[in-house]
Amino acid sequence: MPRRLRLSLKPAKQLLWFFLWWDMRLSRAKEIGIDAGCGRMENKHLFRTERYVGIDVDTERLAEAHRQHPDAQVINGPIEDAGDVVGDMVLCVQVMHNRFFKVENTLAAVSALVKMVRPNGALIFNFGRPSFPYEAQVDALLAPAFTSVKKRKYGALSANQTVFAPLLALAMFVIPALRKGRGFHKTYYVCRGRIGG
Ligand SMILES: C[S@@+](CC[C@H](N)C(=O)[O-])C[C@H]1O[C@@H](n2cnc3c(N)ncnc32)[C@H](O)[C@@H]1O
């Protein structure tokens, strides 16, 4: 089945959906996918894994998502406490700048996400400006845990809404220099090849 592209009226968010549309190919032929902070499971369709596990702290939202996706396995609780759950493709997007997320838990959350990834697995996550003070420590945590860590800065036009968002995001996808500008406050990580675990 072809992967559906999520749409947004916000160019920066649309760019994130382009990134995921491309990078979630990493989940192909993997066994367990974990969507940490899954919300309504709107990224579930991007997982090419045999199994899908959704983690979320919001009990009602998770229950509703589970009703829509009864094949999912669900865990109700904070990511920071879910480090014992393991998978081959771990995704955590639009979570660490969510109002439910305590920014001082950034390192604990990233540490739990890293712990979830099985050997040779991959981790994709993003965060916004409030987490930037922790960025150097996050990088230090990731470097010895993965064979490859790629980081992209983006966020231009994050506050704007326009029907041209897909076009603007496509331009930003192809030409990285366009990702700068007002709202350039987001970091997107793709980590591959979990070492040890
Ligand atoms: C904006 S939604 C994003 C949902 C989904 N990742 C997406 O891209 O559509 C943020 C979700 O993160 C969840 N969340 C926030 N802090 C969390 C935490 N510490 N542990 C687990 N879930 C958390 C919220 O309950 C919410 O469902």
Side-chain angles (χ1 to χ4, degrees):
M1 206 207 293
R3 284 160 297 144
R4 199 161 35 83
L5 176 67
R6 249 180 111 173
L7 294 174
S8 173
L9 289 173
K10 295 187 172 180
K13 199 181 263 189
Q14 182 66 64
L15 178 60
L16 174 67
W17 304 147
F18 272 119
F19 285 157
L20 288 190
W21 182 81
W22 185 254
D23 291 325
M24 283 299 284
R25 292 169 308 146
L26 288 174
S27 67
R28 248 185 333 220
K30 303 271 191 211
E31 189 192 353
I32 305 172
I34 299 178
D35 194 354
C38 60
R40 298 188 171 85
M41 299 188 186
E42 287 177 274
N43 294 319
K44 181 176 182 285
H45 68 282
L46 293 171
F47 283 83
R48 289 290 170 265
T49 47
E50 287 167 34
R51 287 167 53 197
Y52 170 91
V53 183
I55 304 174
D56 207 287
V57 79
D58 185 332
T59 308
E60 277 181 31
R61 187 179 279 193
L62 190 66
E64 176 53 29
H66 200 196
R67 273 192 286 279
Q68 302 292 328
H69 300 280
D71 58 322
Q73 187 187 329
V74 292
I75 297 170
N76 185 204
I79 299 161
E80 300 88 307
D81 296 346
D84 290 342
V85 187
V86 289
D88 307 286
M89 175 77 239
V90 178
L91 177 71
C92 180
V93 287
Q94 301 297 87
V95 175
M96 291 188 227
H97 40 279
N98 180 261
R99 67 198 156 100
F100 288 110
F101 186 78
K102 295 192 187 90
V103 73
E104 63 274 20
N105 285 357
T106 299
L107 268 187
V110 176
S111 176
L113 292 171
V114 170
K115 221 173 135 208
M116 284 177 205
V117 188
R118 295 206 287 200
N120 207 29
L123 165 66
I124 294 179
F125 67 99
N126 73 344
F127 54 57
R129 184 159 57 174
S131 293
F132 282 7
Y134 305 95
E135 197 163 335
Q137 287 164 283
V138 166
D139 291 352
L141 199 77
L142 298 173
F146 292 92
T147 54
S148 156
V149 176
K150 292 215 168 108
K151 196 159 104 167
R152 287 176 219 159
K153 292 280 182 186
Y154 74 106
L157 304 176
S158 54
N160 303 62
Q161 295 210 22
T162 163
V163 288
F164 299 111
L167 276 180
L168 292 166
L170 185 61
M172 292 193 279
F173 185 72
V174 179
I175 308 167
L178 298 179
R179 297 171 198 166
K180 296 183 182 173
R182 232 172 57 169
F184 187 56
H185 300 314
K186 298 185 195 309
T187 307
Y188 172 82
Y189 286 88
V190 177
C191 315
R192 305 168 192 220
R194 175 81 165 98
I195 300 161

